[in-house]
Amino acid sequence: MRTGELMDLAWRLTARAEGRRAVLGLAGSPGAGKSTLAEALVEGLRERYGADAAAYVPLDGFHLSNAQLDRLGLAARKGSPPTFDVHGYAALLRRLVLEPDHDVYVPDFDRTLDEPVAARHVVRPGVRLVVTEGNYLACDLPGWPDARESIDELWYVEADREERRRRLVERRLAGGRTAGEAREWVRSNDMPNAEIVEASRASECVKLSFHWSGRE
């Protein structure tokens, strides 16, 4: 699907929300293009409807820190479901729906630092649509259904397996890994995580599943 079509579908959620703030969720495997699409939707909707039309809220801001991963023995599984603070993420989504009258600060993940960073984004009081994205939003593992309670509609973003693998290797290279380290991390961690996500693709909570071309 093209970005313009997706913008039209996303904005319709604001009418259905009947005056309250709407939340659109994007699920999909690592490397599928979720964050790029979310940012494109928010930018496009702001251009059409004004600066407060939409805001971006990434699940990646709820990665556990490296110190916590070491404490839990999960450093080698970074990016898997238990390495996220899903309850914190669900609580933030509830705040965004229930507390529309003040700024809500949103964390992000810094790939250079390889750590979450607090308050990189802000959702202003006038924002009508929140676009949030993350690998596991369609999963029924503990905590994720709680997060979905605040999401009005959930879409699944697809991409070819080898294309995702290529993007993920490039991501790891950009993060400072050697070529061998990047390929091994993708093989042993990112692709197994993708299998968990792919199992959720057919969930009844997914309202739209598509390949995003990245073009208008």
Side-chain angles (χ1 to χ4, degrees):
M1 295 187 72
R2 296 177 181 272
T3 309
E5 295 175 278
L6 294 170
M7 287 169 56
D8 292 340
L9 293 173
W11 193 246
R12 289 175 190 171
L13 295 178
T14 63
R16 286 164 42 189
E18 299 181 343
R20 64 173 176 80
R21 179 175 284 156
V23 181
L24 169 65
L26 305 178
S29 296
K34 301 181 300 298
S35 60
T36 305
L37 172 57
E39 291 170 347
L41 289 174
V42 169
E43 180 180 357
L45 291 170
R46 286 173 173 172
E47 289 176 357
R48 279 190 188 181
Y49 302 110
D52 288 335
Y56 174 48
V57 174
L59 168 65
D60 277 358
F62 290 86
H63 269 284
L64 298 182
S65 69
N66 291 330
Q68 296 301 329
L69 294 178
D70 288 339
R71 180 182 67 84
L72 296 167
L74 290 171
R77 293 295 291 123
K78 189 170 188 172
S80 63
T83 67
F84 289 90
D85 176 15
V86 62
H87 301 294
Y89 174 66
L92 176 73
L93 294 184
R94 285 194 295 272
R95 285 188 62 201
L96 289 170
V97 173
L98 298 174
E99 303 176 25
D101 298 326
H102 57 81
D103 290 347
V104 177
Y105 294 96
V106 176
D108 201 353
F109 187 80
D110 191 302
R111 296 193 186 281
T112 301
L113 297 174
D114 198 33
E115 291 274 16
V117 177
R120 178 167 283 177
H121 304 282
V122 60
V123 179
R124 303 300 304 275
V127 166
R128 295 182 60 189
L129 176 68
V130 167
V131 182
T132 187
E133 53 81 19
N135 295 343
Y136 305 108
L137 301 192
C139 290
D140 285 328
L141 298 169
W144 301 101
D146 294 336
R148 283 201 300 275
E149 290 181 0
S150 299
I151 295 175
D152 292 283
E153 193 161 291
L154 184 62
W155 300 351
Y156 190 96
V157 185
E158 301 184 55
D160 175 76
R161 179 180 176 86
E162 290 309 312
E163 174 64 15
R164 287 191 284 106
R165 188 192 303 274
R166 181 190 65 78
R167 293 173 183 171
L168 290 167
V169 169
E170 289 182 354
R171 181 182 297 175
R172 303 308 169 192
L173 290 171
R177 297 176 188 268
T178 67
E181 290 170 341
R183 288 193 296 269
E184 176 58 21
W185 182 266
V186 170
R187 183 199 68 79
S188 64
N189 193 58
D190 288 335
M191 299 311 281
N193 290 340
E195 292 177 4
I196 298 172
V197 178
E198 288 165 4
S200 71
R201 178 180 175 275
S203 171
E204 291 183 359
C205 66
V206 174
K207 301 304 180 185
L208 181 66
S209 182
F210 58 89
H211 284 77
W212 177 55
S213 66
R215 299 185 296 276
E216 289 295 332

